[in-house]
Amino acid sequence: MRDATPGGGSGAVPPEPSGPAAPADPAAPADPAAPADPADPATAVVDDRGVVTGWSAGAERLLGYPVQEAVGSPVSRLIASDGLAAPAGSPGTALFRHRDGRTLPLWVRAYPSVDGAGRAQRLLVVTPPESPAPPRPDAVTGDEAFAQCRVVLMVYDSALRVVRASAGAVRELGLREERMLGRRVTDILPPHLCHRVEEGMVRVLTTGEPEEFRLRGRVRPDGPERVWSVTVSPLLTPAGRVRHVEVSALDVSEQYLARERLALLNDISARVGSTLDVMRTAQEMADVTVERLADFITIDLLDSLYRGVEPRPSGTGRVPLRRAAQQSVLPGVPEALTEPGEVDDYPASAPPVRCLATGRSSLHNAGDEAMRNWELVDPGRSGVVRRFGIHSVMVVPLRARGITLGVAVLVRHRRGEPFTHDDLLLAEEIAARAAVAVDNARRYTLERSTALALQRSLLPSRLSAQDAVEAAHRYLPARTRAGPGGDWFDLIPLSGARVALVAGDVVGHGLRASATMGRLRTAVRTLADVDLPADELLTHLDDLVTLLAAEEESTAEHEPDVEACTDLIATCLYVVYDPVSRRCTAASAGHPPPVVVGPDGPADFLDVLPGPPLGAGGLPFETAERELPAGSLLALYTDGLVQGAAHDLAGGLARLRRALGRAAARPLEELCDELLRTLLPAHPEDDVALLVARTRALDADRVATWDLPSDPARVTDARAQVLARLEAWHLTEVAFTAELVVSELVTNAIRYGQPPVQLRLIRGVALICEVSDGSGTAPHLRRARTYDEGGRGLLLVAQLAKRWGTRHYVGGKTIWAEIELPAPDG
């Protein structure tokens, strides 16, 4: 039964015949005793809430209510007594209220039905008892209407046995009504459906309240799987007792599948791409899709994708694809021939290869030509098809930005229904969304790999050999979407057997941070090579960062595609240790202080005043000095080691100090591993750079110092003293070279410098010759002309020494040269 039509009539009631004759005055009250027009019976439609939704012209003439006033009113306004409790189709007497106030006893028959949305309603047919309409030979009775009803409608008695079945029920169940009469629902429906329906009928018979629920399945073995909206309603006697129940079912499969598809797409958007890992992203797609759309799914990607390279598939020959993910409704995924991570070669004629070449999806059944050809050239897959009864296959490309990244193969073998065109459209939408996530992961992998490669190329691969400290280091890039950061460390040999230990951090992540880190590390090495004091070195580095920020801002103004970087900030800690004096000098530009652990003492922080970060400018940097006995431990680090979500910087520094106090005596490599294991979570949120060093001391027997008079005649004495010391050190192999270097350096200091003049020899990994004088004028290396009597001394030193240079200090300068020592025997 349909809803009331806009004109006021019920969809089950024919409209008033139209003709040239004008109807009687509608305001005039109808005579209930007048014979009822058999072509225009008095009918009304009442929904399950008791509200009138349909009103015929015959009802208007019989009771006087116009359609505008009757529709939307509660039926209790029209009926003065309960006459609607009779069984369906059985006549009953009820007192109706006429619009003029009279009460009319009328015959009424109630027929149950459902509206277009599947909701229960009743059709009321009202006639005056004193003048029943004579039946016409072609009039449709209620029994005939029920028998021809296309809606699935059945009536059960209190013993839960069938008493009526509509034509719709006969069609869907495949049984004639005569065969269903007297049988229970358990004798008609499959077990997983019948128990739910029978339980609902029992509750309705007990409570008298209607119930509505949904069922999914096949109502007969050879029928399709459908989703039904089932309504169980009570049928009451005139005394109000539930004597029968009515069960109606409406096929809502299309609406249900539409909601399922929307829910699946929503889950794909929410759950796929939670990480920027290519294989993890593909597995998320497989996990969400299997069972809800397919029984088995494989996702294969082009092998170049795993390296972050732009994929370029070939449409000819066998195509190697790497299995990214697979999933099945069966435990252990027994249908798979390849494990995730392995490469599988597909024949050129296989649907996945054509899918890669064309970028178009395809739908196949087990018997079509494409599948037969694939099975002929791929016996392994042919065996899987037969063993598991695969009958329907979809091949869908994963495309993003116009590039085919791979292919997904969806299979059905447990579910009887083959894939439909709508399923293919859904699979294409799923693959498109997943492909975007996979491409994002690929691009992130490429950028991360590039940044890591750049960072590794800029960081020291091994520490330089030197005499001042024994050192070890660790660098851990953060595994976050932001990419690697700009943390760095370095160990720089300085003149006089000294060493510089550096740790720094560029704020930010990605390629820009890595590139900036490389520029700063190069600048630190350049400034350290000219032996600038720690505070002056940081001042020059601060100027460099300010200049870099200004250059990037200027570039962004002239190149709109370049994003301006106005917040280029970095921190740096520069520490110099002298193994001869055993003194440590440090300066900090906004960096956490180094931890110092004496040979026998507790761990504490070097008291260095942190200056402003590099790039802030405006404030000077301060230095701190401290004497460190041999065997002391120095630890430099970046904030990723001590700061995280679980604790703040102060708490992290306290944990680091405790950890170093416990493990300072361990070998340095073990110490690094222990610190990372103790202080870091499983997945650090920031990069971590760690440099630990154990100090050494060059004792007096490895250092020789002479104060020389400012007299050129004493150069011979200096050479003799050097030769004697080298013989005592068993370094006669380099005696000739050292004699020449010392002679030139001492001669220059006496001739061009100022007193006092001092000569020092240091025996370490190299022989260091140092000559100091009181002049601040630095020597310059130049090329002497053919007939010049001088100018060749420094050129000779540069040729003989491994390296040489000048460092300045308050009150003078030192010229130094390193002479490479022969490798020890054995």
Side-chain angles (χ1 to χ4, degrees), residues 373-498:
N373 293 338
W374 188 8
E375 293 178 33
L376 288 176
V377 296
D378 198 337
R381 286 187 174 83
S382 177
V384 170
V385 170
R386 291 193 301 270
R387 185 163 65 253
F388 293 95
I390 294 174
H391 62 84
S392 188
V393 177
M394 290 192 296
V395 183
V396 184
L398 274 69
R399 289 178 58 84
R401 300 185 299 110
I403 301 171
T404 303
L405 309 176
V407 61
V409 179
L410 295 87
V411 169
R412 278 185 180 175
H413 54 73
R414 296 290 295 273
R415 194 179 306 191
E417 296 80 11
F419 289 118
T420 64
H421 181 68
D422 288 341
D423 293 329
L424 185 62
L425 294 177
L426 175 61
E428 290 174 343
E429 181 66 24
I430 292 173
R433 299 190 184 191
V436 172
V438 169
D439 189 56
N440 289 339
R442 177 194 68 82
R443 298 171 71 182
Y444 166 77
T445 300
L446 176 60
E447 181 174 345
R448 176 180 172 80
S449 300
T450 304
L452 286 175
L454 174 63
Q455 196 168 47
R456 290 192 181 100
S457 68
L458 298 175
L459 288 172
S461 57
R462 60 185 181 87
L463 301 179
S464 303
Q466 37 74 42
D467 293 300
V469 296
E470 174 195 2
H473 62 89
R474 293 290 185 274
Y475 174 75
L476 293 180
R479 293 188 173 275
T480 63
R481 298 191 178 192
D487 294 25
W488 94 92
F489 65 92
D490 210 345
L491 187 143
I492 308 170
L494 303 177
S495 64
R498 297 169 303 138

Side-chain angles (χ1 to χ4, degrees), residues 571-819:
T571 65
C572 184
L573 175 65
Y574 188 78
V575 180
V576 177
Y577 173 69
D578 187 345
V580 177
S581 65
R582 301 183 179 89
R583 296 200 66 81
C584 174
T585 305
S588 172
H591 202 83
V595 182
V596 179
V597 186
D600 302 316
D604 65 348
F605 295 101
L606 188 64
D607 190 14
V608 54
L609 183 65
L614 301 175
L619 293 175
F621 299 99
E622 303 289 341
T623 59
E625 289 192 8
R626 181 170 173 177
E627 184 173 347
L628 297 179
S632 298
L633 187 70
L634 268 171
L636 284 71
Y637 51 91
T638 54
D639 58 358
L641 183 68
V642 293
Q643 190 172 13
H647 48 76
D648 57 8
L649 180 59
L653 291 175
R655 295 174 68 225
L656 173 61
R657 185 171 61 181
R658 290 194 299 269
L660 276 172
R662 292 191 303 266
R666 303 178 67 171
L668 295 185
E669 295 293 337
E670 295 182 11
L671 175 61
C672 289
D673 294 335
E674 178 65 21
L675 290 178
L676 297 183
R677 185 167 50 250
T678 304
L679 300 176
L680 293 181
H683 301 286
E685 299 176 355
D686 196 4
D687 289 20
V688 175
L690 173 65
L691 176 63
V692 294
R694 185 168 283 121
T695 62
R696 299 175 178 141
L698 295 178
D699 297 329
D701 61 346
R702 301 178 65 181
V703 181
T705 306
W706 297 277
D707 293 324
L708 303 177
S710 187
D711 181 1
R714 303 300 297 273
V715 174
T716 303
D717 295 340
R719 290 201 300 264
Q721 290 171 331
V722 168
L723 290 175
R725 180 51 60 98
L726 292 179
E727 186 177 358
W729 284 346
H730 306 288
L731 296 177
T732 55
E733 296 92 338
V734 297
F736 177 74
T737 303
E739 183 182 9
L740 288 178
V741 170
V742 168
S743 177
E744 292 298 332
L745 294 182
V746 171
T747 300
N748 282 344
I750 292 175
R751 181 177 297 177
Y752 303 111
Q754 297 178 3
V757 178
Q758 186 182 74
L759 169 63
R760 185 169 72 162
L761 292 184
I762 302 174
R763 179 171 63 89
V765 294
L767 179 64
I768 303 173
C769 304
E770 295 184 342
V771 176
S772 304
D773 69 87
S775 172
T777 303
H780 296 282
L781 182 66
R782 66 184 180 87
R783 185 178 298 276
R785 291 185 293 271
T786 303
Y787 298 104
D788 288 350
E789 295 182 358
R792 296 177 178 86
L794 284 181
L795 181 61
L796 181 63
V797 170
Q799 294 296 319
L800 295 175
K802 180 180 179 181
R803 63 188 188 119
W804 73 281
T806 303
R807 69 174 181 268
H808 294 265
Y809 56 90
V810 177
K813 68 177 181 298
T814 297
I815 304 175
W816 55 271
E818 289 186 4
I819 301 173

Side-chain angles (χ1 to χ4, degrees), residues 552-569:
E552 291 202 10
E553 186 174 358
S554 175
T555 302
E557 291 178 356
H558 296 86
E559 299 182 20
D561 295 337
V562 178
E563 181 182 357
C565 180
T566 58
D567 56 348
L568 182 55
I569 299 294

Side-chain angles (χ1 to χ4, degrees), residues 241-275:
R241 184 171 59 85
V242 179
R243 184 168 63 184
H244 294 79
V245 291
E246 174 192 89
V247 179
S248 61
L250 185 66
D251 185 359
V252 294
S253 301
E254 288 299 323
Q255 300 92 317
Y256 178 82
L257 291 177
R259 285 194 295 268
E260 285 288 295
R261 293 186 178 104
L262 289 176
L264 179 55
L265 290 176
N266 182 67
D267 287 348
I268 289 289
S269 300
R271 295 170 55 184
V272 175
S274 61
T275 65

Side-chain angles (χ1 to χ4, degrees), residues 2 62 88 96 99 125 177 200 224 309 404 422 435 453 577-578 685:
R2 299 292 181 185
L62 182 62
F96 284 74
R99 190 167 185 269
V125 180
E177 183 180 17
V309 180
T404 303
D422 288 341
Y577 173 69
D578 187 345
E685 299 176 355

Side-chain angles (χ1 to χ4, degrees), residues 86 99 155 170 179 196 279 327 332 334 409 546 601 664 676 780 820:
R99 190 167 185 269
V155 178
V170 171
R179 293 192 59 187
R196 182 85 181 274
M279 294 190 68
Q327 190 56 274
V409 179
T546 303
L676 297 183
H780 296 282
E820 189 171 7

